[in-house]
């Protein structure tokens, strides 16, 4: 009987340590992510002006063939994005944050088309300059700290992110600065969904950020996708407030 009691105590003790370690990994991951978001200070965007970001994108395999992504954001939820190739608008979406939700897809939709709110918010993450970590709580993402790594001689933190309806990701942050510099996309779907497979980058690197007032904006990004590299060079600035940008085609 004494042996049984001792074994039971050991099992309960081990379970307690396991639960504590898991909680610690979650808490540490949240602290790292919140530190990064505080550094970026996306909520510090001016309230009386529109943030305009223009991104030049091209592939390593065809550097002369550029696309331009134009984005307009008025705090808190007015947003517009347009992807252009030369003089041709390829795709886009916009909302006034209240009742207007429109999408454009060349050759698919007949001009700017009203869409359901759910459809618009399924599109927006792909355009959002703040990145998916900004919405991690609203997206019901689970964060887990995977430890400290040595990355090319630098100490970094790795946070594993499991978000419903997405592939799981590893986020790498510089230990000293707290800045995000690499996202590794895995081929594992979130455990909460059987979402169909979709194309995604192998990794997404951030090498430069642009200070704009108290806000930091990603300014130089590189993706690896389908064996090719895609470069993004972005510049942000403020322009006068104009609600027509979020209401008219």
């Amino acid at each position: 009987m004494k042996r049984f009691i001792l074994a039971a105590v050991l099992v309960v003790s081990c379970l307690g340590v396991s639960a504590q370690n898991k909680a610690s990994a979650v808490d540490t991951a949240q602290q790292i992510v919140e530190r990064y978001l505080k550094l970026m200070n996306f909520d510090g965007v001016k309230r009386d002006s529109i943030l305009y970001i223009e991104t030049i994108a091209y592939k390593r395999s065809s550097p002369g063939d550029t696309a331009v992504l134009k984005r307009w954001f008025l705090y808190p939820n007015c947003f517009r994005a347009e992807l252009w190739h030369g003089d041709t608008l390829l795709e886009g979406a916009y909302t006034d944050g209240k009742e207007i939700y429109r999408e454009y897809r060349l050759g698919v939709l007949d001009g700017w088309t009203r869409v359901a709110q759910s459809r618009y918010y399924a599109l927006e993450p792909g355009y959002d300059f703040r990145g998916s970590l900004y919405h991690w709580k609203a997206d019901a993402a689970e964060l887990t700290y995977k430890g400290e790594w040595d990355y090319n001689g630098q100490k970094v933190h790795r946070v594993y992110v499991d978000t419903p309806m997405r592939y799981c990701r590893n986020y790498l942050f510089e230990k000293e600065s707290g800045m995000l510099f690499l996202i590794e996309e895995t081929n594992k779907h979130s455990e909460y969904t059987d979402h169909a497979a979709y194309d995604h980058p192998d990794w997404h690197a951030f090498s430069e950020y642009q200070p704009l007032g108290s806000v930091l904006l990603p300014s130089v990004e590189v993706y690896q996708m389908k064996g090719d590299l895609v470069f993004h060079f972005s510049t942000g600035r403020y322009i006068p407030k104009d609600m027509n940008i979020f209401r008219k085609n």
Side-chain angles (χ1 to χ4, degrees), residues 5 28 137 210 239:
I5 293 175
T28 301
K137 292 181 181 178
Q210 174 196 351
I239 62 175

Side-chain angles (χ1 to χ4, degrees), residues 71 204-207 218-223 230-234:
R71 290 172 285 186
H204 176 187
F206 303 82
S207 57
S219 58
V220 180
E221 304 166 70
V222 184
Y223 301 79
V230 182
F231 298 88
H232 283 193
F233 297 90
S234 302

Side-chain angles (χ1 to χ4, degrees), residues 136-236:
W136 76 267
K137 292 181 181 178
D139 292 341
E142 288 191 359
L143 314 179
T144 306
Y145 183 56
K146 291 296 185 180
E148 184 178 299
W149 277 17
D150 185 273
Y151 189 89
N152 292 335
Q154 300 295 320
K155 296 297 183 182
V156 304
H157 291 301
R158 185 171 69 120
V159 174
Y160 183 76
V161 181
D162 187 342
T163 306
M165 307 304 291
R166 300 194 64 169
Y167 282 102
C168 297
R169 299 172 164 192
N170 289 307
Y171 286 76
L172 275 63
F173 302 83
E174 293 180 349
K175 182 178 179 180
E176 290 190 11
S177 71
M179 295 300 292
L180 172 67
F181 70 94
L182 185 66
I183 302 173
E184 298 174 330
E185 296 246 11
T186 74
N187 289 320
K188 178 183 179 299
H189 286 293
S190 165
E191 61 181 295
Y192 303 105
T193 179
D194 292 325
H195 192 271
Y198 58 90
D199 290 337
H200 63 86
D202 300 316
W203 50 260
H204 176 187
F206 303 82
S207 57
E208 291 185 22
Y209 291 87
Q210 174 196 351
L212 188 64
S214 63
V215 178
L216 285 178
L217 301 174
S219 58
V220 180
E221 304 166 70
V222 184
Y223 301 79
Q224 178 174 287
M225 189 167 183
K226 296 181 178 180
D228 205 350
L229 295 181
V230 182
F231 298 88
H232 283 193
F233 297 90
S234 302
T235 304

